[in-house]
Amino acid sequence: NAGVTQTPKFQVLKTGQSMTLQCAQDMNHNSMYWYRQDPGMGLRLIYYSASEGTTDKGEVPNGYNVSRLNKREFSLRLESAAPSQTSVYFCASSERSGRTDTQYFGPGTRLTVL
Amino acid sequence: GENVEQHPSTLSVQEGDSAVIKCTYSDSASNYFPWYKQELGKGPQLIIDIRSNVGEKKDQRIAVTLNKTAKHFSLHITETQPEDSAVYFCAATLTNQAGTALIFGKGTTLSVSS
């Protein structure tokens, strides 16, 4: 099992460009999450998907959109990137939401917006 | 919504000493409190968790305590080793009609010197 995989590992964008961060899990988990990590700010929840077909906003959703493509895949889109979105982005998954199950994290995508 | 405060932000100890990291949360409905360890360049990994019906849990050199009345929980690492050096995050649950997600503290950078 690969667990949670994320692509790309690194990305540099110019202000105003768009891109999609990809996440996939092979653990048959129902719930998936996107976080961003900034120095001194910990992990902040952007969006999550409790189950296939549902998504909901987290703490910092502005400037992002998500798509739960199927049970395995959960993508994060930046429509018009801004320097404030420079961060490390982590995807995570858990067996189910509404219960207290472990979240498994991917290796992260380091994004720089110039 | 849920708010998680974590202290200290940095902690330096000598090998063999104990380390304690403390967190407080705001939502009395939170019922699950995991601790994650993040090594440089990697995603966070769960090291221990505690549920609201338990006051203390141990796993070898690691223990977590929970005081629901005071809404705080702590991570205790005994006999610290250099490989314990990492960033540690506490988290608490955030629940709404869409499901349950985790809200993280801002992290504690633990340095263990030999």
Side-chain angles (χ1 to χ4, degrees):
Chain A
N1 280 357
V4 179
T5 56
Q6 293 182 237
T7 56
K9 287 187 168 53
F10 302 93
Q11 183 71 48
V12 178
L13 293 177
K14 293 181 179 178
T15 297
Q17 287 185 319
S18 62
M19 80 159 295
T20 300
L21 280 63
Q22 306 287 353
C23 174
Q25 52 91 9
D26 62 2
M27 296 175 282
N28 200 35
H29 284 170
N30 288 311
S31 301
M32 298 184 74
Y33 313 83
W34 276 106
Y35 295 89
R36 61 177 289 174
Q37 186 174 32
D38 303 293
M41 296 298 292
L43 290 149
R44 291 183 292 171
L45 182 66
I46 305 171
Y47 270 94
Y48 64 106
S49 171
S51 61
E52 187 178 354
T54 68
T55 61
D56 203 10
K57 296 178 180 179
E59 301 171 87
V60 289
N62 291 345
Y64 305 95
N65 285 301
V66 291
S67 296
R68 184 73 183 268
L69 305 169
N70 48 55
K71 192 171 185 179
R72 289 187 62 250
E73 298 172 289
F74 188 38
S75 63
L76 179 72
R77 183 160 179 83
L78 287 70
E79 290 291 351
S80 179
S84 60
Q85 294 178 304
T86 294
S87 188
V88 181
Y89 291 85
F90 288 99
C91 178
S93 70
S94 66
E95 186 174 348
R96 52 191 177 276
S97 183
R99 294 289 298 274
T100 56
D101 286 333
T102 302
Q103 289 192 18
Y104 296 86
F105 284 80
T109 294
R110 188 173 296 273
L111 175 67
T112 302
V113 183
L114 302 174
Chain B
E2 179 66 276
N3 183 48
V4 178
E5 299 282 340
Q6 182 172 347
H7 299 280
S9 56
T10 60
L11 180 60
S12 296
V13 299
Q14 292 285 324
E15 183 177 1
D17 287 349
S18 295
V20 180
I21 303 170
K22 299 182 179 182
C23 288
T24 60
Y25 62 98
S26 60
D27 187 351
S28 57
S30 292
N31 58 8
Y32 174 62
F33 307 92
W35 285 89
Y36 283 80
K37 176 183 180 182
Q38 185 178 27
E39 296 176 342
L40 199 61
K42 297 184 178 180
Q45 283 196 306
L46 180 77
I47 55 171
I48 195 167
D49 57 13
I50 191 166
R51 302 173 195 271
S52 58
N53 58 347
V54 175
E56 183 176 0
K57 183 177 178 180
K58 286 184 179 179
D59 183 3
Q60 299 183 338
R61 297 185 296 108
I62 295 173
V64 57
T65 58
L66 171 65
N67 183 327
K68 283 219 73 179
T69 303
K71 289 191 275 189
H72 66 71
F73 56 113
S74 300
L75 177 71
H76 304 253
I77 305 174
T78 58
E79 300 172 25
T80 54
Q81 300 168 4
E83 51 265 38
D84 293 329
S85 296
V87 181
Y88 291 81
F89 293 97
C90 63
T93 45
L94 165 70
T95 301
N96 58 28
Q97 64 270 25
T100 297
L102 292 175
I103 301 300
F104 285 82
K106 293 184 178 179
T108 296
T109 300
L110 174 65
S111 299
V112 181
S113 53
S114 54

